[in-house]
Amino acid sequence: MTRVRESVIAGARGLYLAVVTLAGSITLFVLSVLSIAFILLGIGVFTTPVILALVRKWADLRRAQAGAWSDVRIPSPYRPFPADLRGGVTGQVERTSLLLKDPATWRDLQWLLVDMTAGCVTAIFAPALLLYMLYGYVLALGVWKPIYEAGGGEWYGFIHVTSQGDATMAALLGTALGITGVFANTSIVRGHFVLTRALLAPTTSMRERELAQRVDRLTETRHDAVDTSAAELRRIERDLHDGAQARLVAMGMDLGTIEAMIEKDPAKAKEMIAKARQNSGEALTELRDLVRGIHPPVLAERGLGDAVKALALRLPVRTEVDVELSGRADEPVESAAYFAVSEALTNAIKHSGADRIWVDVHHAQGMLRVAVTDNGKGGASIGAGSGLSGIERRLGTFDGVLAVSSPAGGPTMVTMEIPCELS
């Protein structure tokens, strides 16, 4: 029964695919060709980005169906638009140019052409096997007779039905077709999606281009990491010079003065000893804070989860932390994740106006995922000079990614992902 149910579902999906390939793919292909042709008239500059955006959504829908219905994975190879793309007519011309230069655009158009022909034919076989079986039964139930009387008989496959015996043979042939459909329908639908993958999946040159883009991104983030490390060293030097070092120098001078006057003015020497003790305590506190800023002891000793929980306890806003980690990541990854969370929490407290924050830390499928959510006013974005840009650069060093969802009115969710394994 399970196989029969799967066959019926595959037949319904095949019927759906056959109909939508005719309606959707033909319409989008014609509109695309006309819009590109009208670029010379100026009209296509405004219509082409819209039409090709619909084509990409149509192709992405088929990619999603291929994965959900037949477990055929088809990656999406589209080039992203530059963040500084201008508006107006100039921006439309640039957007149209970028779309037409993208090889994926022309692969989409080729796919539309094949989808409305060979794609439709491959999809229609799945419902046809089941529906044609039912038609054979209808003929065998006596419908053959009025058809014969009206026009001399009906052809069912290779059987010319002119009698009840012929109709019975048609029913037997329909049964054979139905049994074939039970065993073949899921493969037929999968074949449709395999054909789609052959046309929509990135080519070798596209994969090479994607790899080159990834190398460029890693090179850029490496430079950012070097610049960040240099800035961090300068900050440490400045903090040492202006803080702990100055206090230790002052304490040394006080001790020299105490040594000179301890016999002449014991009371004054005692007062200066107390001051030196205070300076030593403040210098020790500043050194501890400085070390905590470089690598928190709790992070080194107890791992990322406890370090984030300890960080949340020091915040002025109620913060809930949920951690699901079965082990520890490499020390550089933990450090990057910790300071990224710290920066995200700092941004939330400074700018969101939230009174509740939630932090979720877990690891799944080779990916460390951290989500920082607040119930503030929203409106956060990744832009030049923002704290979120710094987080993105920090994560990029480890091939990590940052995603921000922050509609006006909130809530804001900052999601960070870093590929790593736990030990």
Side-chain angles (χ1 to χ4, degrees), residues 60 102 119 132 153 155 194 221 227 276 293 317 334 382 390 392 404:
D60 283 337
D102 191 344
Y132 205 49
W155 281 95
V194 169
T221 55
D227 293 340
V317 175
E334 283 192 336
I382 303 175
E392 187 176 40
V404 178

Side-chain angles (χ1 to χ4, degrees), residues 31-59:
L31 290 177
S32 299
V33 172
L34 291 176
S35 182
I36 293 172
F38 287 160
I39 290 177
L40 297 177
L41 302 178
I43 302 174
V45 172
F46 299 95
T47 59
T48 299
V50 177
I51 298 300
L52 292 183
L54 292 176
V55 171
R56 292 187 171 191
K57 289 183 179 179
W58 185 248

Side-chain angles (χ1 to χ4, degrees), residues 161-391:
V161 181
T162 59
S163 65
Q164 184 62 46
D166 294 336
T168 303
M169 292 296 296
L172 293 176
L173 177 59
T175 301
L177 294 175
I179 294 174
T180 302
V182 169
F183 288 93
N185 270 4
T186 54
S187 298
I188 291 172
V189 174
R190 181 179 174 81
H192 170 86
F193 289 125
V194 169
L195 175 64
T196 301
R197 181 176 60 187
L199 294 164
L200 289 182
T203 60
T204 302
S205 60
M206 286 184 178
R207 295 190 186 99
E208 290 175 350
R209 175 174 55 80
E210 291 174 352
L211 182 59
Q213 289 176 341
R214 183 179 179 189
V215 170
D216 291 340
R217 180 171 181 268
L218 290 175
T219 301
E220 180 182 353
T221 55
R222 184 190 65 184
H223 290 318
D224 289 337
V226 171
D227 293 340
T228 301
S229 298
E232 189 72 9
L233 286 174
R234 289 193 296 270
R235 181 189 68 81
I236 293 171
E237 291 174 355
R238 185 178 61 252
D239 290 347
L240 283 172
H241 182 271
D242 297 340
Q245 181 179 338
R247 293 188 183 278
L248 291 173
V249 170
M251 186 173 65
M253 294 174 62
D254 288 342
L255 290 174
T257 303
I258 292 169
E259 185 180 10
M261 64 184 303
I262 191 168
E263 295 181 357
K264 298 179 181 179
D265 191 350
K268 183 67 174 177
K270 185 177 180 180
E271 179 181 342
M272 295 187 69
I273 289 173
K275 181 181 178 182
R277 183 186 299 111
Q278 180 181 356
N279 283 337
S280 68
E282 292 176 353
L284 182 61
T285 300
E286 290 182 356
L287 286 173
R288 284 174 177 169
D289 292 339
L290 185 62
V291 170
R292 186 178 294 111
I294 299 172
H295 195 78
V298 66
L299 179 61
E301 296 171 3
R302 305 188 62 180
L304 179 62
D306 287 340
V308 172
K309 291 178 180 179
L311 180 63
L313 292 175
R314 298 197 299 268
L315 298 179
V317 175
R318 182 180 175 186
T319 304
E320 298 180 11
V321 180
D322 182 25
V323 178
E324 291 184 10
L325 298 175
S326 59
R328 295 191 59 173
D330 293 338
E331 185 174 318
V333 173
E334 283 192 336
S335 180
Y338 173 83
F339 286 108
V341 173
S342 177
E343 183 69 24
L345 291 172
T346 300
N347 287 342
I349 293 171
K350 285 184 177 180
H351 306 297
S352 70
D355 57 12
R356 289 283 300 278
I357 299 176
W358 297 266
V359 182
D360 178 70
V361 183
H362 68 279
H363 183 274
Q365 299 177 345
M367 194 75 67
L368 176 64
R369 294 184 174 90
V370 182
V372 178
T373 308
D374 66 66
N375 62 349
K377 60 185 179 182
S381 62
I382 303 175
S386 70
L388 293 176
S389 296
I391 296 175

